[in-house]
Amino acid sequence: MSPINSSTIVAKFGGTSVANFEAMSRCAQIILNNPEIRLVVVSASAGVTNLLVKLGNEVLSANEKESVLQQIRNIQNSILNDLGRPVKAQDVISQLIEQLAEIALHPLLITSTKLKDELLSFGERMSSVLFAEVINKISGQASAVAFDGRQVLKTDSSFAKAEPQLEATRKQANSLLKPLLKNKVVITQGFIGQDNFGNTTTLGRGGSDYSAALFAEAVDAFALQIWTDVTGIYTTDPRITDKARPIKEISFDEAAEMATFGAKILHPATLIPAIRSGVKVFVGSSLEPDAGGTWISKEVDYRPAYRAVALRNEQTLLTVKSPEMLHATGFLARVFAILAKHKLSVDLITTSEISVALTIDNPANTPIAGLVAACVKDLSSFCDVNVESELALVAVIGNHVEHNDGKQGGAGRIFSSLEDDQLRLICHGASEHNVCFLVKQENAKDIVRQIHDDLFSV
Ligand code: ADP
Ligand code: ASP
Ligand code: MG
């Protein structure tokens, strides 16, 4: 087997980029214009994963289920129609929809995370088949092939937030994927993987970015392109304020902080494989591929004090108090052992002599919500736990933001326009790349707009 050319590019297309035939055709053109793009990772067509989540999580009557299934069928059928209903693809899609309908009606679905992951995988499995077909129609030859990425992306069995197994993934990529890339553009699925028992797993919502970075690492790619619906990473979510500006170049560290603290543009784990393997990452818009975008790399020329503001909703604040905490050893260890048992990670933490306050990501209607409830129950067995929800975490990302000299950076400038009662908890000083605080979710967007104005309008 000849080694993969180090110019191999992995390109990932998100849900809106593969929403329908027209969007898929635009993406096909991006691929066909660049022969270095050999591996393509796709999301489910926009809306499909949400419909699958609905089937898996809500108690629905048979009629309601059928109506959701019909919406999914309609999305696939409209693409098949625009393709001219090619027989082979049509057969594959009908089989997938049949299997999907069977799982949707399974009596144990609502309680089985294993079945839910199997169900959620169908969005990407269908879009990858259809997208390969679109590329071949546009190029007029069989240049693209759909490939079941579960054969390569091996994970543990933590359904809904599976952890990749890197060595096994690399081994599979070497034997199955790399040889294919020599002659074909390979279209595979983001978001999904497979455990050691052959069960389908998923990497968590928005996980296709992470999959693409894992695939890029496994095939020793030179670069990873993330094609989405905005022209790169902005100083804040452009949906929050039209004053948000695109960032041309950003370091891995800063971009990773942005992703961690809620910038939806990248799944939080995306940059872990990229940093490990040194794969450069580009983020751009499939709607305007020539409009440029953001390059994320290890070294950047410019490291401003303030880079961006990120917002993450659905935060829960737990304040844990123990009468014994005063001078008691081992209390924090006990609290963290329980959090670890439930696989919950803590984002912000502050402590006083008798209490500890910590925040947990707690998105509604996900398995995590159940874990938080179980964790609170366990903690309550040995201490008082106060739970506050409907909070949002705002993070100001930059360089040396922990310095408080007020000249270049500093927290003073961040908080100068906020009222004290708008802030619930502040974490400052632990990281050189962020200052974070909690606010009420209902005020969060206004606060982000305000801070963004203060820091970025010159
Ligand atoms: P995809 O389906 O392509 O993965 P997502 O919806 O997951 O796309 O992510 C793209 C969205 O991320 C944008 O439409 C934008 O609203 C949001 N977003 C949040 N923060 C940022 C940011 N700092 N810069 C750009 N986009 C952001
Ligand atoms: N389709 C999955 C989701 O909507 C994964 C992704 O698009 O990144 O969450
Ligand atoms: Mg996404």
Side-chain angles (χ1 to χ4, degrees):
M1 177 177 57
S2 70
I4 286 300
N5 187 328
S6 67
S7 64
T8 296
I9 293 175
V10 174
K12 177 257 171 176
F13 295 90
T16 43
S17 301
V18 293
N20 49 43
F21 180 77
E22 201 191 329
M24 283 187 176
S25 305
R26 266 194 304 267
C27 299
Q29 213 54 66
I30 294 175
I31 296 164
L32 295 169
N33 287 345
N34 186 349
E36 290 176 339
I37 300 179
R38 308 301 306 159
L39 180 60
V40 173
V41 177
V42 289
S43 290
S45 300
V48 171
T49 309
N50 285 348
L51 291 167
L52 293 168
V53 168
K54 190 170 179 168
L55 282 174
N57 285 358
E58 291 179 21
V59 182
L60 302 174
S61 66
N63 278 346
E64 286 167 333
K65 281 194 178 179
E66 179 44 38
S67 128
V68 177
L69 283 168
Q70 193 50 46
Q71 291 177 60
I72 296 173
R73 275 187 212 109
N74 291 345
I75 295 172
Q76 318 307 318
N77 277 331
S78 102
I79 303 172
L80 277 170
N81 286 341
D82 289 337
L83 272 167
R85 302 207 76 82
V87 178
K88 220 174 115 212
Q90 202 170 308
D91 280 356
V92 176
I93 297 293
S94 343
Q95 274 173 30
L96 288 170
I97 289 183
E98 244 171 65
Q99 293 166 24
L100 151 62
E102 204 174 305
I103 299 173
L105 297 173
H106 198 293
L108 296 181
L109 175 63
I110 205 103
T111 53
S112 163
T113 51
K114 186 161 106 180
L115 282 173
K116 279 185 202 182
D117 269 9
E118 181 69 28
L119 180 83
L120 291 189
S121 71
F122 282 91
E124 271 72 7
R125 285 159 68 190
M126 293 191 288
S127 63
S128 50
V129 169
L130 292 169
F131 190 42
E133 209 59 38
V134 171
I135 297 174
N136 291 340
K137 183 175 168 96
I138 289 181
S139 68
Q141 51 183 320
S143 46
V145 61
F147 175 84
D148 188 341
R150 293 172 298 176
Q151 296 176 81
V152 169
L153 214 149
K154 298 296 165 189
T155 73
D156 68 6
S157 304
S158 311
F159 299 107
K161 50 175 189 173
E163 289 291 333
Q165 292 176 339
L166 303 181
E167 264 181 45
T169 299
R170 179 172 283 280
K171 196 167 150 248
Q172 295 297 95
N174 278 335
S175 61
L176 300 178
L177 205 45
K178 281 184 169 183
L180 257 187
L181 299 182
K182 280 188 282 178
N183 306 317
K184 295 274 181 194
V185 176
V186 176
I187 316 298
T188 196
Q189 307 79 28
F191 184 49
I192 67 175
Q194 192 178 57
D195 72 5
N196 291 335
F197 310 98
N199 300 308
T200 300
T201 55
T202 66
L203 304 180
R205 290 304 306 267
S208 294
D209 303 322
Y210 187 25
S211 307
L214 290 164
F215 277 115
E217 180 181 35
V219 300
D220 301 309
F222 156 76
L224 166 63
Q225 299 179 342
I226 307 251
W227 293 101
T228 178
D229 57 359
V230 282
T231 50
I233 301 181
Y234 281 57
T235 46
T236 195
D237 187 341
R239 285 187 208 176
I240 297 181
T241 167
D242 56 15
K243 292 182 185 157
R245 299 192 308 248
I247 300 168
K248 284 271 156 252
E249 208 193 14
I250 187 170
S251 66
F252 277 140
D253 301 342
E254 296 164 285
E257 297 259 347
M258 285 183 76
T260 304
F261 288 112
K264 194 187 167 221
I265 183 100
L266 290 178
H267 179 276
T270 310
L271 294 171
I272 298 170
I275 292 171
R276 220 167 25 218
S277 58
V279 176
K280 280 180 137 208
V281 183
F282 172 81
V283 182
S285 166
S286 66
L287 292 160
E288 300 172 81
D290 299 324
T294 305
W295 276 103
I296 313 173
S297 50
K298 196 167 166 224
E299 302 298 338
V300 292
D301 292 337
Y302 174 55
R303 284 185 179 261
Y306 303 116
R307 181 68 94 174
V309 187
L311 169 64
R312 199 160 79 192
N313 284 320
E314 302 188 293
Q315 301 299 296
T316 291
L317 177 66
L318 301 184
T319 309
V320 184
K321 279 191 192 141
S322 163
E324 295 156 23
M325 190 174 170
L326 205 58
H327 307 304
T329 50
F331 175 73
L332 282 181
R334 242 173 125 183
V335 170
F336 278 93
I338 288 179
L339 288 158
K341 177 181 136 192
H342 294 284
K343 292 198 172 167
L344 290 172
S345 62
V346 171
D347 293 308
L348 307 187
I349 173 160
T350 59
T351 55
S352 77
E353 269 187 317
I354 56 152
S355 66
V356 48
L358 43 91
T359 68
I360 296 174
D361 217 21
N362 190 16
N365 297 322
T366 68
I368 296 172
L371 296 178
V372 174
C375 171
V376 168
K377 195 166 164 229
D378 279 1
L379 289 170
S380 304
S381 69
F382 67 98
C383 48
D384 296 332
V385 188
N386 183 45
V387 182
E388 289 169 65
S389 45
E390 289 172 35
L391 294 165
L393 192 165
V394 178
V396 176
I397 318 289
N399 295 282
H400 298 296
V401 279
E402 83 281 20
H403 287 169
N404 211 354
D405 59 13
K407 285 180 210 140
Q408 222 213 341
R413 198 170 145 202
I414 298 171
F415 298 121
S416 58
S417 58
L418 299 185
E419 306 291 331
D420 281 349
D421 64 357
Q422 289 182 303
L423 296 166
R424 179 62 190 83
L425 180 148
I426 301 176
C427 272
H428 168 226
S431 160
E432 65 178 272
H433 289 299
N434 73 64
V435 171
C436 296
F437 50 97
L438 273 190
V439 299
K440 281 194 190 143
Q441 195 162 294
E442 61 190 31
N443 304 330
K445 284 190 179 163
D446 286 340
I447 289 175
V448 169
R449 271 190 283 270
Q450 179 68 52
I451 292 177
H452 187 273
D453 265 11
D454 289 349
L455 300 182
F456 297 100
S457 305
V458 256

